[in-house]
Amino acid sequence: MPPLEINARKHGGRTVVRLRGELDIACSDELRRQLRSARAEHGEHVVLDLEDLEFMDSQGLSVIVGCYKAVTAAGGSLALAGPRPLVRRTLEITGLHRRIPVLPTLAEAVAAGPGPAAQGS
């Protein structure tokens, strides 16, 4: 299994966190730490770039839900960009796509901006 790679940067007024590899129980705590750090450094309007995420288990979903709760409590927002079919299906089965905007590409997620206007799936 490829290890999870996490890269964070500021882009278009958003904190973009790119995930590459597999998000599972083995790396969920590290992702939580990296997300907190990225939010502190770049801001509370977050886009998770999932284009290169190959797999996500329930612990990965838990990290995303925790991030969503933290950013919205701080007045920020969360959007998910470009999930592969397997990851998108996981979001749909759990209903998470109804709560967190899921957009086809990173460009669309960043262009949509924070808040309700980013809704789309």
Side-chain angles (χ1 to χ4, degrees):
M1 291 195 295
L4 183 67
E5 294 176 25
I6 306 164
N7 296 297
R9 63 183 164 72
K10 185 83 166 182
H11 179 70
R14 309 286 299 262
T15 300
V16 175
V17 180
R18 180 176 166 258
L19 305 180
R20 180 183 185 130
E22 298 192 0
L23 173 52
D24 58 22
I25 193 168
C27 56
S28 60
D29 286 339
E30 178 61 21
L31 178 57
R32 269 190 198 90
R33 283 190 292 275
Q34 294 273 349
L35 286 170
R36 275 194 300 269
S37 176
R39 290 175 31 234
E41 185 175 344
H42 302 296
E44 297 291 348
H45 294 289
V46 178
V47 174
L48 292 182
D49 179 356
L50 306 179
E51 184 177 345
D52 293 322
L53 188 65
E54 298 171 15
F55 172 81
M56 176 173 57
D57 71 3
S58 61
Q59 287 297 311
L61 287 169
S62 176
V63 173
I64 291 174
V65 169
C67 181
Y68 172 78
K69 288 178 178 180
V71 297
T72 56
S77 62
L78 177 65
L80 308 177
R84 293 177 178 203
L86 179 64
V87 173
R88 180 181 260 296
R89 183 74 180 129
T90 302
L91 296 169
E92 291 170 352
I93 288 170
T94 60
L96 204 54
H97 72 293
R98 287 188 215 107
R99 175 162 279 195
I100 302 171
V102 179
L103 294 114
T105 67
L106 176 60
E108 289 174 85
V110 171
Q119 293 292 335
S121 52

